[in-house]
Amino acid sequence: MALATLYARALQSDKKLPECHGIIIDHKFRPESSEEAAWVAEQLRSNFGMLSSIVELKWPEDLDMNDIKRFETEARRLRYKALGRACRDRRIESLLVAHHGDDLAETILMRLNRWRLRSGLQGMRAVTPIPECFGIYGVHHSGGRNSMSYENLPFPIESGGVEVLRPLLRFEKKRLVATCEEYGTKWAEDKTNQDKTLTSRNAIRHIMQHHTLPQALQAQSLISLAKTMTLRIKTHAEVAERLFNELRLRVDIQTGSLIVRFPPAEALLDRPIVTESDRIEARNTAALLLRRVADIVSPRDQLTIGQFASAIDKIWSSLATDAPHELDTMETSFCVYGIWWEPWEGPSIFSPDRGAPVFEPHEWRLTRQPLEAYELRDHILEIPSSLQQLLKDPTWHLFDGRWWIRILHPLRQSDITIRHFTDEDLKQLHKRPRSANNAARHSFDHAYIRTALGLLKPYTLRRTLPAIFIKDGSAKDVLVGLPTLGCAIRDGKLIPVLKPTALPWEVRYKKADLGTRRVEDTVVRGVKDADVMGAMRVAAMTGLRTSKVKKRVRFGE
């Protein structure tokens, strides 16, 4: 209620502020929770003239309330998902929450207890994307009214999403209580917050309220620690952002891959890297820079800084813990966060075409790590082909954390499967059709797709692509298209990349922050219709199969 009081007063003095809509979560955990939610809604309406909505949580039937850890995790997950969907349904892009200084101090103490140090000691941040909503369209980094769509892009890049704002983190609870008392605002206390046996946060809260802790663990000290760590990371983040905007970068959203030229190690610090302290500072900036780049193509939701320590050692070997402070050396490929990091060994793609080829150090290619057979099962989307449902509300599905795909109308009234393309699927493209009447058409259509796949470099990229299938009479998967490459086989005929409006689906790439660079200068087509047709013409003239045509296509041209 303190947040509502302060916002209502700010609205009186600044008419440019948007009207606020209160969203009240009824946890349905206590018998009186529904009554309290209705009371809060009435207070918002009568005291502040604020519209509000009550959202009831539905708990899993198999939830064991005695499992404290699972209860705490499930409550947070359900609460944020409910808040996210409520914001999406009301076209709300910014969600203000009333986390205060005491909450921040509790978070820091919990993380110290779990040995989550360094960046974890920032605690709650003032502005973050809404958590626990990965894959919910219109909530998680998507649903923007003006998704980026340029003429040279194969499909749009998503924008939008819901942000969480925490404006009260600098204020302790006692000060917010005093604010409510001064303006005559009533408030309700959730009694479960005082049950020290219910959650680990409640236990920490009980200790802080009823025991005298050392000065370093008291609320003000913990808040100060969070502020210091936040400022320290902000300093490194600003340097990393400047370096990111100076990087040479090419992004292929068709395959979810990129090529980047990283700066030399000495560019990571504003002074020579001489001492151990210098090396640590350079590594901190390097981790933030690597996370910034990796986020563009990673299939994962949140990338923590600590996971990039091994990547720093590979890319800038002179920054490694036990390395001499000498020039960097080229390292081998490695995997971090589901991304395959591979040194670019060919001529630099950023060099001019004229003159001799130039080989540049620090250029890397980032691609999706191909999944093992047992992992593929967890990345299958089954979509019932219901004409009524598809026409009423075609649903966006997040595939592999990188592409949003929705089916616009049924495909032969068959259930639809979206999964990764496999080597076995490629073998099926080489099989001849049973009907001689379809041989010519089949030969061209499948040759086109095989050629498009053959132009992908490296070849493992084809095993990271989303593919759409329907079932035939024997319940086997039949390929109907590779949506990110923009071609499909429909009613026995190929729909080429030049006619995206004819496709029975729609694709968008995940929200990707490219910094200050222009999208049209950074995002490229990995596969062009002209290249595919050119390779097929070469095959026809030479008599070779298209898969044998060695056509070199430079990335991004």
Side-chain angles (χ1 to χ4, degrees):
M1 297 303 288
L3 180 59
T5 301
L6 293 169
Y7 195 89
R9 291 188 60 81
L11 193 59
Q12 292 175 3
S13 58
D14 187 352
K15 299 301 181 182
K16 294 182 180 180
L17 287 174
E19 294 290 337
C20 219
H21 185 105
I23 302 175
I24 305 153
I25 298 297
D26 179 3
H27 286 80
K28 288 290 184 180
F29 182 66
R30 296 176 292 116
E32 63 272 23
S33 65
S34 296
E35 181 180 348
E36 289 179 0
W39 179 85
V40 172
E42 173 58 25
Q43 293 297 308
L44 293 178
R45 185 194 63 80
S46 59
N47 291 342
F48 309 116
M50 188 182 298
L51 296 176
S52 61
S53 302
I54 298 175
V55 180
E56 298 180 354
L57 297 190
K58 294 183 180 180
W59 295 85
E61 294 182 0
D62 62 342
L63 180 63
D64 182 4
M65 294 300 183
N66 295 320
D67 186 343
I68 296 177
K69 186 175 181 179
R70 187 188 171 193
F71 170 80
E72 188 173 16
T73 301
E74 195 70 18
R76 184 180 190 272
R77 185 183 69 85
L78 292 175
R79 181 168 59 253
Y80 274 116
K81 283 191 172 185
L83 287 168
R85 290 191 174 103
C87 288
R88 177 195 60 191
D89 295 345
R90 293 161 182 80
R91 295 185 176 274
I92 297 171
E93 298 177 352
S94 298
L95 174 66
L96 277 72
V97 295
H99 290 136
H100 46 71
D102 290 22
D103 296 321
L104 177 60
E106 292 164 7
T107 299
I108 297 298
L109 194 54
M110 290 171 64
R111 292 183 178 180
L112 284 171
N113 184 54
R114 297 169 183 170
W115 288 94
R116 287 186 57 188
L117 308 177
R118 303 184 67 180
S119 62
L121 297 183
Q122 294 179 94
M124 303 180 204
R125 288 177 290 165
V127 182
T128 61
I130 189 169
E132 306 293 347
C133 293
F134 185 66
I136 302 179
Y137 188 78
V139 181
H140 170 75
H141 297 313
S142 56
R145 301 176 188 177
N146 299 308
S147 292
M148 292 183 289
S149 181
Y150 296 88
E151 184 177 349
N152 67 320
L153 298 188
F155 41 82
I157 298 175
E158 267 298 346
S159 62
V162 178
E163 280 191 325
V164 175
L165 310 181
R166 301 181 177 90
L168 304 181
L169 289 179
R170 294 191 299 115
F171 307 103
E172 293 182 67
K173 182 179 179 179
K174 61 184 179 183
R175 184 170 175 181
L176 299 177
V177 168
T179 299
C180 289
E181 291 174 342
E182 180 178 351
Y183 294 108
T185 302
K186 298 179 181 179
W187 71 92
E189 296 274 0
D190 187 342
K191 296 179 181 178
T192 58
N193 288 339
Q194 305 305 319
D195 185 350
K196 61 184 178 181
T197 65
L198 186 60
T199 66
S200 56
R201 179 174 290 275
N202 283 6
I204 292 291
R205 182 180 297 122
H206 178 82
I207 291 172
M208 296 186 71
Q209 291 177 350
H210 297 89
H211 297 270
T212 302
L213 297 176
Q215 182 64 35
L217 297 179
Q218 292 182 14
Q220 279 299 329
S221 298
L222 295 173
I223 294 172
S224 178
L225 172 62
K227 182 178 179 180
T228 300
M229 187 59 68
T230 299
L231 291 175
R232 182 179 300 176
I233 293 177
K234 181 182 178 181
T235 300
H236 288 292
E238 289 173 349
V239 176
E241 187 66 17
R242 175 179 58 79
L243 292 173
F244 174 80
N245 288 323
E246 295 173 354
L247 294 178
R248 303 301 300 272
L249 187 67
R250 289 290 181 271
V251 181
D252 174 11
I253 60 175
Q254 288 182 289
T255 61
S257 60
L258 63 81
I259 292 179
V260 59
R261 181 190 297 173
F262 288 113
E266 54 266 24
L268 297 169
L269 203 61
D270 60 358
R271 59 183 183 275
I273 302 174
V274 178
T275 67
E276 181 66 12
S277 177
D278 295 336
R279 187 187 64 81
I280 292 174
E281 284 200 50
R283 287 181 65 88
N284 289 338
T285 298
L288 291 166
L289 178 61
L290 294 183
R291 184 177 69 174
R292 189 73 172 81
V293 174
D295 188 61
I296 298 174
V297 295
S298 174
R300 308 286 176 83
D301 181 16
Q302 296 181 343
L303 310 183
T304 57
I305 300 174
Q307 295 294 327
F308 288 97
S310 60
I312 296 171
D313 296 342
K314 298 288 186 180
I315 295 174
W316 295 286
S317 58
S318 62
L319 295 179
T321 304
D322 54 355
H325 299 304
E326 299 174 355
L327 294 177
D328 295 329
T329 58
M330 184 64 73
E331 294 290 341
T332 57
S333 304
F334 61 94
C335 180
V336 172
Y337 265 118
I339 303 173
W340 191 251
W341 304 62
E342 180 183 20
W344 181 256
E345 298 179 350
S348 171
I349 68 165
F350 304 111
S351 300
D353 291 335
R354 59 184 181 275
V358 178
F359 294 82
E360 293 282 352
H362 304 299
E363 286 189 7
W364 289 74
R365 174 165 51 195
L366 277 62
T367 60
R368 173 68 158 101
Q369 181 190 22
L371 299 173
E372 300 293 340
Y374 71 91
E375 296 176 300
L376 290 172
R377 293 189 295 269
D378 297 329
H379 291 75
I380 297 176
L381 295 177
E382 301 285 354
I383 305 173
S385 184
S386 167
L387 176 61
Q388 183 177 3
Q389 175 63 25
L390 289 175
L391 293 179
K392 181 180 178 182
D393 181 26
T395 302
W396 286 98
H397 302 272
L398 181 60
F399 181 81
D400 198 33
R402 297 180 293 162
W403 294 287
W404 293 96
I405 303 173
R406 66 174 176 176
I407 308 299
L408 299 177
H409 52 77
L411 301 172
R412 303 182 196 173
Q413 294 298 317
S414 174
D415 288 349
I416 301 162
T417 299
I418 305 177
R419 61 171 173 79
H420 283 98
F421 190 79
T422 65
D423 290 338
E424 184 60 33
D425 297 323
L426 185 62
K427 292 179 183 178
Q428 295 299 318
L429 292 177
H430 287 280
K431 290 187 177 181
R432 295 183 177 274
R434 296 179 181 179
S435 171
N437 296 331
N438 293 332
R441 184 74 242 178
H442 178 280
S443 176
F444 175 80
D445 292 345
H446 285 206
Y448 184 98
I449 296 178
R450 290 198 306 268
T451 304
L453 292 170
L455 293 179
L456 296 179
K457 301 291 187 286
Y459 77 92
T460 51
L461 275 177
R462 68 192 183 202
R463 289 193 276 126
T464 69
L465 296 175
I468 299 179
F469 300 84
I470 59 174
K471 300 292 184 183
D472 64 8
S474 60
K476 291 184 179 180
D477 284 344
V478 176
L479 178 69
V480 294
L482 300 168
T484 63
L485 298 189
C487 57
I489 296 177
R490 184 180 177 195
D491 299 328
K493 297 182 179 180
L494 183 77
I495 303 174
V497 75
L498 295 179
K499 297 181 180 179
T501 56
L503 297 175
W505 50 72
E506 188 176 356
V507 183
R508 291 183 178 180
Y509 193 66
K510 72 172 187 173
K511 185 176 181 178
D513 185 357
L514 301 176
T516 59
R517 53 178 54 84
R518 299 197 326 159
V519 175
E520 55 267 41
D521 294 336
T522 307
V523 178
V524 298
R525 285 183 180 271
V527 175
K528 300 178 182 178
D529 187 65
D531 290 335
V532 177
M533 298 303 295
M536 293 179 70
R537 283 194 294 270
V538 172
M541 289 187 293
T542 59
L544 297 174
R545 291 171 56 185
T546 55
S547 60
K548 298 297 183 180
V549 175
K550 303 299 183 181
K551 177 178 174 64
R552 184 177 182 83
V553 179
R554 294 181 70 194
F555 187 100
E557 294 187 351

